Amino acid sequence: MPHIINGKEISQQIKDELKAEVTRLAEKGRHACLAVVQVGNDPASSVYVNNKKKACAYIGIESKSYELAEETTEEELISLVEELNADDGVNGILVQLPLPAHIDEDRIIRTISPDKDVDGFHPVSVGRLWIGEKGFLSCTPAGIIQLLKRSGIAIEGKECVVIGRSNIVGKPMAALLLRENATVTVAHSRTKDLKEIARRADILIVAMGKKKFITREYVKAGAVVIDVGMHRDENNKLCGDVDYDDVAPVTSAVTPVPGGVGPMTIAMLMDNCVETMRIREEEA
């Protein structure tokens, strides 16, 4: 039987550790505040924002919420972000994506100060990640590293295949695996012989955005499979990029959808918020 990696349980462990750390730092007069900005009322975004607020409240981080109308202009949003950059009482800034079509997401990401970029999306944060400097890590890939480590799965020396090359998951995932001394292949929609490459993986991480695409033919016996996808199947049930029922029996460990990678993203966002407190403590 494969080990089912429980993201809910591991994310709760991390949040409990962060809560204790925030309490300790608060006793020294250190506090954190996360500003969350949402433009429009996309239902999925509203759920995510609400979950982030709940996580802040649980851990003991103040959260400020800015809920802006759909018709907010790009310049108005930039003006708000610049105000938050200048506000010493705000440690982290999160602008919920996606933004309405009339706003340039890249321009907004670049406006956020790299020192408050708790999503880890700013080009400076990305550069720090790739050259191994301290900085904010992209939350989903950082969560996957924690899932592996806290499940007792060694990364060093392993052959890892990442399917997907997005700036949010695929590319930073590769960088973090390299940091852990894995041998990394990044595959994508244009990769030839994808099955053969995927079957080489000791650890297969799938972030391709295609419902139940990965079947057991893509998986080496005994591999660890991490599914980053999130979709609805024909019965309106949540499912991932991996055909779980087909793949799970041939793995040594696997993440379910839901309850695998998903909860880790918010846990690692909270870790980035606490990181701003750690940095301030070191600088003091």
Side-chain angles (χ1 to χ4, degrees), residues 161 194-201 216-220:
V161 175
L194 181 59
K195 276 184 190 171
E196 285 70 18
I197 288 167
R199 270 206 302 265
R200 293 201 315 242
R216 67 171 61 200
E217 292 122 52
Y218 289 81
V219 180
K220 178 170 79 174

Side-chain angles (χ1 to χ4, degrees), residues 73-186:
T73 68
E74 189 172 300
E75 295 310 320
E76 286 169 333
L77 181 54
I78 283 171
S79 176
L80 172 60
V81 170
E82 286 173 342
E83 274 178 42
L84 295 170
N85 283 341
D87 184 346
D88 287 339
V90 171
N91 304 59
I93 302 168
L94 186 150
V95 177
Q96 182 64 39
L97 304 180
L99 290 167
H102 65 277
I103 297 176
D104 180 349
E105 284 186 2
D106 186 55
R107 191 175 171 209
I108 302 305
I109 288 166
R110 287 169 183 268
T111 303
I112 298 168
S113 164
D115 295 325
K116 297 189 179 188
D117 169 39
V118 288
D119 261 332
F121 292 164
H122 192 286
V124 170
S125 301
V126 175
R128 286 171 176 166
L129 167 61
W130 275 101
I131 64 174
E133 281 189 2
K134 278 189 89 169
F136 299 118
L137 302 178
S138 194
C139 298
T140 300
I144 291 167
I145 295 292
Q146 287 299 316
L147 282 179
L148 293 169
K149 286 184 169 181
R150 289 170 184 253
S151 299
I153 296 164
I155 303 170
E156 184 167 335
K158 295 289 180 69
E159 180 120 15
C160 298
V161 175
V162 180
I163 306 181
R165 53 178 168 176
S166 72
N167 290 334
I168 291 174
V169 180
K171 290 174 188 172
M173 189 75 251
L176 285 176
L177 289 165
L178 286 169
R179 267 196 192 186
E180 299 294 333
N181 300 314
T183 300
V184 184
T185 300
V186 178

Side-chain angles (χ1 to χ4, degrees), residues 252-263:
S252 61
V254 63
T255 57
V257 176
V261 172

Side-chain angles (χ1 to χ4, degrees), residues 11 52 119 139-141 143 260-271:
S11 69
K52 287 163 187 173
D119 261 332
C139 298
T140 300
V261 172
M264 297 300 293
T265 301
I266 289 177
M268 299 318 292
L269 171 68
M270 295 299 107
D271 188 67

Side-chain angles (χ1 to χ4, degrees), residues 197-213:
I197 288 167
R199 270 206 302 265
R200 293 201 315 242
D202 301 310
I203 300 172
L204 179 64
I205 297 170
V206 189
M208 61 195 307
K210 291 187 177 179
K211 179 168 57 179
K212 294 188 179 180
F213 184 88

